Amino acid sequence: MNDPIVYPPNCQELAEDLSKEELIRRLKAIQSYFQQVDQFTQNKYEALSRHLASEFFLEHPSRDVRMLSACCLADLFRILAPEPPFYDHGLLKQVFSFFARELSGLREPDSAAFSKHFYLLENLAVLRTFILCLEIPDGMDVIALLFKNLLEAASERLPEKAKQLSIQLMTGILYEADNLTQEVLDLLLSHVIPPLKNQRKEAYRLAVQVIQKSANSLEKPVTDFLHSVLVEGHRSHSELAEDPNPLLFELQTIAPSLLAPVLPQLEFKLKSTDERERKEVCRLLADIFSAEPLDQKPLWLAFLGRFRDRCIDVRKLCVHSAGTIWKAQPHLRADLEAELIARATDPDEGVRVEVVLTVVNSLRRESPSEGLFRLLAERTLDRKFRVRKESLQGLCALYRASGTSAAESEPYKQIPSLLLHVYYIDSVADHALVEQLLGVHMVPWQSEADERAQALTALWRSLDRRARDAFDDLLRCKQHLREELRQWIAAPSSRGDRMALLARSLESSLRPLPHLRSLGERLTSDSALKRLFSLFLDAPTCSKRADCVRQILQKIGQPTPGNGLYWLTRQLLERASQLLVDRDAALALPSCDEPALLPRLAELEPDAFQQEALLEALLPWLDMGGAHSEAALRVLRIAAMPFERALPAVKKLALEGSKWAVRTLATLAPTELAHLLPEWESRAATKPDALGAIAAAILEQPAELEVSVRHCITDEDEKTPRKAKKKPVVHDDESGSAAKESVRRSSRRKVEPQSSEEEKSSEEKESSEDEEEEKEKASPPVRRASKRRKK
């Protein structure tokens, strides 16, 4: 140590009494010389190396002095490689610790001294100088400091070249290290899991690349660490041991080979008696199986067994994770489907709900399999409303997402019938849910009129018989509710019976009677609110009806949990709203060419069809014949609109024997029936079937129309030169039956031409029948009833 210090040529002595500026100038000269030298065969600068490694330079207050000293020492290690400048382990540890501290300057890429820090990093990384640190006692402490500073220096501003040199330096150390300390391992692994993973993105990417490039070197220390945690239960020697599951998941994603020896040990954890431990392991395996394919068949089967765990939370977790695994691992779907179908009948309501949600979310972008669709269909009739609700909402969302072809393709065309079958359940909540889903998903009320008409027609064609009956009941109930609401609004404070009827249409959880009384008081005192309700009931289109609902709810108040009147009014308006058919949709329905639907809707929603513009669309149907003509006539009869333009076509159909044409004339133009009798008479000889059909149609008229029909027939008979017939006695309470009998006799005479003798015997028979009928009418009611029972 007393050897004289040899300086490079043209370089001056580095004395401790020099000023900072002079010391920096002389250090730059020495560093510039060493930077240009390749290697020395003899170590003549050992004394200079020891001098630069003294505490004066390593702890100097000037940052530039320390940085230049570090660069000079790094160059000496390079020039004298593979031998170190000195062999003193204590001094070597001090120098390598000094290197590690100075590399922290990489955190400031914008500083003037960054070039020197980059030069130091490049020198140490290329020469792998830190490998010497592995041979000295406690060298891993220095390695831990180095890893810490390099990871903390990683940032978006750090040049990519500096990042690659940092990776090269760390991977070189890991390759040569035989025994990594837990501190070094924790420093590296802690940056790939939360919270550091989320807080320091660049450090995470740096650590991931180091682990991937050093997977073979890290396999043994990582396996030993995880084995001690998972199997032996050692938790005190590392912070990562407290919760190893996030680390396992990240390592499986980053370097699966590291966990190949460890994952089979998790199978025993799945069978632990601790429910919390089973739940954590299930969550871990769910994340692992969702990340990428894993060749661990026994572990997968063990995980599937947890779908039948005795703990409800474990079953819920497994079912919930099935959705992500379904999406990531198509080859595992058969196993998952079997478990989901089994869990669909789980005794716990929450598990069944989770099954429905998982199935719906998994099938949003693909066609459902037969088994999963049957699962959802069966859950629409679950004993719990929450399960029914989620199943119906999921099916209707799938129906709407599938587009216009949903009502024609399997299995989507079954969804409307499944929805309407729920309407048979005697529950206000189910009824309200079905009505809401029909107007939101099946026939979206916000769509254009043509689109709604097409959606409604497609829905109708896909319904089975029971669903069509439920559809009729739904519309009929809505119409009845609107009428009840209309009458209650007219006198809200004095109609307690109406209030009770309205309360039956609302959920009991809303406390309908007290809130309806409050609403009645508001309607009595607020004329503007009452007028809005009237406008809502008379609104011709869905858009105007929705606007009225918005204004009414604004007057009621804010949708806060404590405002029960708001939620009751909202449900009352929703249930009374007709969102399937309005005047615009009624005009568009004839273009959809569904004759069975049009008259049915006209009977249930006559207000929407009472418009003259609809006549233009129905005129072509009258010329088509068959079901189209019948449907058009039924709509004309129900709508009772002026139909002068359609009269020729209706009369023609009536002459051909259409009962609906006769009914239409009897309803809208009864006098026209008398004008048709001469033509009926002329057709009797050639086409008796037509006249018979006409007579049958007349006989089927409702009671309130029979009087007009009877008069038409009677007037025509008076014009016909025939033998006078005896008129039956008609009592006021039985005028309808007498009119039918009169028509029946006249039609029999017209349809069946008879000879004179046959005609005479027939008249005598009719006369005797008339006398017997008069006797029956004169007899007591009990006697007449007994005779009818004998007949």
Side-chain angles (χ1 to χ4, degrees):
M1 295 182 64
N2 296 327
D3 295 339
I5 300 175
V6 178
Y7 290 93
N10 301 323
C11 292
Q12 296 177 316
E13 179 185 2
L14 299 176
E16 296 182 3
D17 56 352
L18 295 174
S19 64
K20 182 182 71 172
E21 291 75 12
E22 181 62 22
L23 185 61
I24 292 174
R25 187 184 65 79
R26 295 184 182 188
L27 283 171
K28 284 183 178 179
I30 296 173
Q31 196 268 329
S32 177
Y33 174 79
F34 286 147
Q35 187 175 356
Q36 299 174 6
V37 175
D38 292 333
Q39 276 194 319
F40 289 146
T41 56
Q42 295 182 353
N43 184 6
K44 60 180 179 179
Y45 294 111
E46 180 180 356
L48 178 59
S49 301
R50 291 180 178 274
H51 182 53
L52 290 172
S54 63
E55 185 177 353
F56 174 78
F57 291 97
L58 300 184
E59 304 293 338
H60 198 279
S62 173
R63 180 178 182 179
D64 293 332
V65 171
R66 295 197 308 273
M67 192 67 251
L68 288 171
S69 301
C71 291
C72 290
L73 285 170
D75 283 329
L76 286 170
F77 275 93
R78 174 181 59 82
I79 293 171
L80 299 174
E83 300 298 328
F86 39 81
Y87 291 92
D88 186 350
H89 287 174
L91 193 58
L92 283 174
K93 183 178 179 181
Q94 293 180 10
V95 171
F96 282 113
S97 299
F98 176 59
F99 287 157
R101 291 196 303 270
E102 290 305 310
L103 287 176
S104 62
L106 296 171
R107 302 176 189 176
E108 303 176 7
D110 300 330
S111 67
F114 179 76
S115 59
K116 294 298 182 183
H117 291 91
F118 180 83
Y119 176 79
L120 176 63
L121 174 64
E122 184 179 26
N123 197 336
L124 297 174
V126 173
L127 270 296
R128 303 172 70 179
T129 308
F130 264 90
I131 294 177
L132 295 173
C133 196
L134 300 175
E135 301 176 0
I136 61 178
D138 300 328
M140 279 297 171
D141 296 339
V142 180
I143 300 298
L145 179 62
L146 173 67
F147 276 48
K148 178 177 179 295
N149 288 337
L150 290 178
L151 290 169
E152 290 179 353
S155 65
E156 295 181 355
R157 297 183 302 153
L158 187 67
E160 187 63 28
K161 179 64 175 177
K163 295 177 184 177
Q164 295 303 320
L165 289 173
S166 299
I167 295 172
Q168 182 179 350
L169 179 56
M170 288 189 283
T171 54
I173 295 172
L174 294 174
Y175 181 78
E176 296 293 339
D178 293 332
N179 296 305
L180 287 178
T181 61
Q182 190 61 46
E183 183 182 6
V184 176
L185 197 60
D186 286 356
L187 279 170
L188 185 61
L189 298 179
S190 62
H191 282 79
V192 300
I193 61 174
L196 293 180
K197 172 187 175 180
N198 303 321
Q199 296 173 357
R200 300 165 63 179
K201 303 287 187 181
E202 293 301 320
Y204 165 76
R205 296 189 182 96
L206 193 70
V208 167
Q209 294 186 53
V210 171
I211 292 173
Q212 290 175 340
K213 293 184 176 183
S214 306
N216 294 333
S217 304
L218 291 172
E219 182 176 346
K220 184 179 184 306
V222 169
T223 301
D224 293 342
F225 165 67
L226 294 176
H227 179 80
S228 64
V229 173
L230 297 176
V231 179
E232 300 175 4
H234 295 164
R235 301 292 178 95
S236 60
H237 60 288
S238 173
E239 296 181 356
L240 299 178
E242 295 298 326
D243 186 12
N245 293 338
L247 177 61
L248 290 170
F249 171 71
E250 294 295 338
L251 289 179
Q252 176 63 27
T253 306
I254 296 170
S257 61
L258 291 177
L259 296 186
V262 178
L263 287 179
Q265 301 173 9
L266 296 177
E267 184 177 348
F268 299 99
K269 291 291 182 181
L270 288 172
K271 300 176 183 179
S272 172
T273 57
D274 186 2
E275 292 183 356
R276 180 178 176 276
E277 187 174 17
R278 294 201 309 275
K279 185 177 178 180
E280 293 299 326
V281 176
C282 286
R283 181 180 288 109
L284 167 64
L285 289 178
D287 294 338
I288 291 176
F289 285 119
S290 303
E292 58 183 28
L294 187 64
D295 187 16
Q296 294 283 349
K297 188 67 174 179
L299 187 61
W300 168 247
L301 295 177
F303 174 73
L304 290 178
R306 293 306 97 201
F307 278 79
R308 300 177 293 277
D309 196 280
R310 64 176 179 271
C311 177
I312 295 176
D313 291 338
V314 174
R315 298 201 302 271
K316 283 184 180 180
L317 175 63
C318 292
V319 170
H320 179 75
S321 64
T324 55
I325 301 176
W326 181 282
K327 182 179 179 180
Q329 312 291 349
H331 65 285
L332 300 178
R333 291 180 178 178
D335 296 338
L336 291 173
E337 180 175 339
E339 295 298 334
L340 289 174
I341 292 175
R343 288 303 96 214
T345 55
D346 193 278
D348 182 73
E349 175 187 356
V351 176
R352 298 199 303 275
V353 170
E354 199 65 46
V355 169
V356 171
L357 294 175
T358 300
V359 171
V360 171
N361 293 331
S362 301
L363 301 180
R364 288 190 183 276
R365 294 185 176 89
E366 59 186 78
S367 178
S369 64
E370 181 180 355
L372 292 182
F373 185 84
R374 191 187 308 114
L375 181 154
L376 292 177
E378 292 174 352
R379 290 308 98 203
T380 59
L381 300 176
D382 195 277
R383 63 180 180 273
K384 295 294 184 179
F385 172 73
R386 185 185 172 197
V387 182
R388 297 196 300 269
K389 178 181 178 181
E390 295 296 343
S391 302
L392 289 174
Q393 288 179 339
L395 285 173
C396 291
L398 292 174
Y399 181 90
R400 186 174 184 179
S402 61
T404 56
S405 62
E408 301 176 359
S409 59
E410 290 287 354
Y412 294 107
K413 67 180 183 181
Q414 305 175 32
I415 294 177
S417 295
L418 292 172
L419 174 64
L420 285 165
H421 289 168
V422 179
Y423 203 74
Y424 285 104
I425 299 176
D426 188 13
S427 166
V428 175
D430 287 281
H431 294 175
L433 176 63
V434 173
E435 294 166 0
Q436 178 186 14
L437 294 177
L438 275 176
V440 174
H441 292 290
M442 316 305 284
V443 187
W445 67 270
Q446 294 178 327
S447 304
E448 297 295 332
D450 294 340
E451 296 178 3
R452 278 189 287 126
Q454 293 175 3
L456 183 58
T457 304
L459 179 139
W460 170 261
R461 289 169 178 167
S462 66
L463 296 180
D464 57 26
R465 182 185 58 80
R466 293 182 66 246
R468 291 187 178 186
D469 293 342
F471 183 77
D472 293 348
D473 291 343
L474 184 148
L475 295 181
R476 195 175 294 109
C477 290
K478 277 185 169 292
Q479 187 182 31
H480 179 70
L481 180 59
R482 286 197 299 274
E483 291 302 321
E484 294 291 340
L485 182 60
R486 192 187 306 275
Q487 296 181 24
W488 180 69
I489 290 173
S493 59
S494 60
R495 303 299 297 270
D497 55 340
R498 299 288 178 192
M499 190 184 302
L501 289 174
L502 293 175
R504 295 175 192 169
S505 302
L506 303 171
E507 295 183 33
S508 59
S509 61
L510 297 175
R511 299 175 61 242
L513 284 176
H515 290 307
L516 283 175
R517 293 191 190 98
S518 301
L519 182 59
E521 295 174 358
R522 293 281 296 271
L523 290 171
T524 304
S525 60
D526 192 343
S527 59
L529 181 62
K530 186 175 182 179
R531 183 177 60 84
L532 284 174
F533 267 91
S534 300
L535 291 175
F536 161 77
L537 293 172
D538 298 331
T541 61
C542 292
S543 58
K544 292 183 179 180
R545 192 172 293 120
D547 186 60
C548 292
V549 171
R550 180 180 56 80
Q551 296 182 47
I552 290 172
L553 293 178
Q554 284 179 351
K555 280 185 166 292
I556 294 299
Q558 297 297 324
T560 58
N563 191 359
L565 181 60
Y566 175 92
W567 302 110
L568 176 130
T569 307
R570 176 178 172 178
Q571 187 177 78
L572 178 62
L573 295 175
E574 286 178 351
R575 296 219 60 193
S577 297
Q578 177 50 271
L579 300 178
L580 297 178
V581 185
D582 59 3
R583 296 177 68 86
D584 295 339
L587 285 176
L589 278 171
S591 62
C592 298
D593 195 24
E594 183 54 53
L597 175 62
L598 204 61
R600 202 155 186 167
L601 292 176
E603 292 176 2
L604 297 171
E605 292 294 334
D607 295 341
F609 289 82
Q610 292 175 355
Q611 47 182 326
E612 296 185 14
L614 186 61
L615 180 62
E616 299 292 335
L618 293 177
L619 286 177
W621 283 32
L622 293 174
D623 298 331
M624 292 182 183
H628 288 81
S629 298
E630 180 182 338
L633 290 169
R634 291 176 65 183
V635 174
L636 290 174
R637 179 172 175 267
I638 295 168
M641 63 186 73
F643 76 123
E644 288 78 5
R645 295 182 58 187
L647 187 58
V650 176
K651 292 172 66 175
K652 179 182 177 182
L653 292 171
L655 289 172
E656 293 176 357
S658 171
K659 65 178 181 180
W660 286 106
V662 175
R663 290 183 179 184
T664 304
L665 289 175
T667 304
L668 303 180
T671 57
E672 295 292 336
L673 287 177
H675 300 159
L676 295 179
L677 289 177
E679 297 187 42
W680 287 344
E681 189 76 28
S682 63
R683 295 189 180 193
T686 58
K687 296 182 178 180
D689 294 340
L691 191 57
I694 293 170
I698 295 175
L699 293 175
E700 293 177 3
Q701 296 303 309
E704 63 269 13
L705 300 178
E706 289 176 358
V707 176
S708 61
V709 176
R710 176 164 53 85
H711 287 323
C712 293
I713 297 295
T714 303
D715 294 341
E716 187 64 24
D717 286 342
E718 289 176 355
K719 299 176 184 179
T720 305
R722 272 182 192 272
K723 183 178 180 179
K725 61 180 183 293
K726 185 177 181 179
K727 294 184 179 180
V729 178
V730 180
H731 294 273
D732 293 338
D733 58 343
E734 299 182 353
S735 59
S737 61
K740 288 185 178 181
E741 184 64 26
S742 175
V743 172
R744 185 182 298 110
R745 292 170 188 166
S746 60
S747 63
R748 189 184 306 121
R749 288 197 300 272
K750 294 174 183 177
V751 174
E752 300 175 0
Q754 299 173 345
S755 63
S756 59
E757 295 180 358
E758 291 175 347
E759 183 178 355
K760 183 176 180 181
S761 62
S762 176
E763 290 179 356
E764 292 177 355
K765 185 177 181 181
E766 290 177 2
S767 177
S768 62
E769 289 178 355
D770 293 341
E771 293 176 358
E772 183 178 354
E773 184 176 351
E774 289 188 15
K775 289 180 181 180
E776 285 186 7
K777 292 177 180 177
S779 62
V782 177
R783 183 180 179 84
R784 292 203 306 268
S786 63
K787 286 189 176 183
R788 281 196 295 269
R789 284 196 296 270
K790 290 180 181 179
K791 290 181 181 180

